[in-house]
Amino acid sequence: MFRRKLSALDYHNPGGFSCRDETEFRNFIVWLEDQKIRHYKIEDRGNLRNIHSDDWPKAFEKYMKDVNCPFKIQERQETVDWLLGLAVRLEYGDNADKYKDSTPDAKNTDNTAKNAEPLINLDVNNPDFKAGVMALANLLQIQRHDDYLVMLKAIRILVQERLTQDAIAKANQSKEGLPVALEKHILGFDTGDAVINEAAQILRLLHIEELRELQTKINEAIVAVQAIIADPKTDHRLGKVGR
């Protein structure tokens, strides 16, 4: 999660850093302040450097306030990411002339192009990925599928079609009913009571409207399924009908 920023700051173990390890986390905070952020004077860093003290969390909480970190001490990942961002900005400010005229080489350009496609290096067998997809599917009430990548595609389609700002705005618009002349709609039978006949006509019209909405949802489901199964890897020429 923090690999790129840690690498940019020349941290000794960017790939193996874990903010869940308490000792490693405290050492990391000390390194970040000593080497990159340097908000305190050297003589004022004693409490932060005393990582084995029971009062270290209080010293760290004070440090967060002093650097104006917007997160709470319990939000460790968010705090680390924010502090890394601060360190990167300060590092750039100290070495602005060094980076100003730098140009990316071909290798970095290729990596940038690859990073532009977020799913290109996706590990579909990663437990965290599976748990995240399942949580989204449950939240959006999407049917479970054995292939988590298929579920992810279904989530993407639903989000694009139903959860965009335009779609939400359209759904929130109030629908004004149109006047209906009941006498123009033939009921098909007579109950012998004019009031009951009118009520039956209204119920029939409401039923027809429900059927139309159901058909619309069926059509949307068909489109979504077709979009999922229309995989470029599939060769439809292999299908046969008859002899």
Side-chain angles (χ1 to χ4, degrees):
M1 178 178 180
F2 313 114
R3 182 193 297 266
R4 293 179 63 188
K5 292 180 181 178
L6 289 170
S7 298
L9 294 171
D10 295 325
Y11 187 66
H12 68 279
N13 186 24
F17 171 73
S18 173
C19 61
R20 296 179 181 178
D21 186 298
E22 188 65 28
T23 301
E24 184 177 12
F25 172 72
R26 295 186 181 188
N27 278 314
F28 164 75
I29 295 299
V30 174
W31 173 85
L32 202 62
E33 167 60 17
D34 280 345
Q35 302 297 324
K36 304 299 177 181
I37 296 178
R38 298 188 288 271
H39 181 77
Y40 289 159
K41 295 179 179 179
I42 296 177
E43 58 270 21
D44 295 333
R45 300 174 189 171
N47 292 333
L48 201 62
R49 286 176 172 174
N50 190 8
I51 63 172
H52 299 295
S53 171
D54 293 336
D55 292 330
W56 190 89
K58 294 181 180 179
F60 178 55
E61 187 171 17
K62 180 180 183 302
Y63 177 70
M64 290 173 58
K65 292 180 180 178
D66 290 342
V67 297
N68 296 319
C69 178
F71 298 104
K72 297 180 180 179
I73 192 172
Q74 297 85 0
E75 300 171 307
R76 181 163 290 189
Q77 288 189 342
E78 293 83 352
T79 299
V80 170
D81 188 61
W82 188 89
L83 289 173
L84 284 172
L86 173 62
V88 169
R89 291 195 299 273
L90 293 173
E91 181 77 359
Y92 176 81
D94 291 343
N95 300 279
D97 295 335
K98 174 182 175 182
Y99 300 115
K100 182 173 61 176
D101 299 326
S102 63
T103 56
D105 55 23
K107 184 178 180 180
N108 290 334
T109 303
D110 292 339
N111 291 334
T112 302
K114 290 181 179 179
N115 291 332
E117 174 52 60
L119 300 182
I120 193 169
N121 294 320
L122 187 64
D123 182 7
V124 296
N125 295 317
N126 187 297
D128 292 335
F129 167 76
K130 292 181 178 180
V133 171
M134 183 58 65
L136 282 173
N138 292 336
L139 181 63
L140 299 175
Q141 298 182 351
I142 292 177
Q143 185 175 358
R144 181 171 182 173
H145 192 281
D146 292 336
D147 190 335
Y148 286 84
L149 194 56
V150 171
M151 291 176 60
L152 184 61
K153 290 180 180 179
I155 291 171
R156 176 181 61 81
I157 291 171
L158 179 62
V159 170
Q160 287 179 337
E161 294 185 355
R162 293 296 186 85
L163 300 182
T164 60
Q165 292 184 353
D166 292 339
I168 294 175
K170 185 176 180 180
N172 290 334
Q173 290 178 354
S174 59
K175 296 182 180 179
E176 297 182 0
L178 298 176
V180 176
L182 292 178
E183 63 273 8
K184 294 184 179 180
H185 297 271
I186 301 175
L187 182 59
F189 60 88
D190 187 4
T191 64
D193 188 308
V195 175
I196 296 179
N197 284 346
E198 184 173 324
Q201 286 177 304
I202 294 173
L203 289 174
R204 188 170 187 179
L205 290 173
L206 291 174
H207 179 60
I208 292 173
E209 179 64 22
E210 290 178 351
L211 289 177
R212 288 175 178 171
E213 292 183 0
L214 177 60
Q215 184 62 52
T216 299
K217 292 180 180 179
I218 291 174
N219 292 338
E220 292 176 350
I222 292 174
V223 172
V225 171
Q226 288 175 341
I228 294 173
I229 65 176
D231 195 322
K233 297 179 181 178
T234 303
D235 190 350
H236 297 287
R237 294 175 297 177
L238 300 178
K240 296 182 179 180
V241 179
R243 293 185 178 179

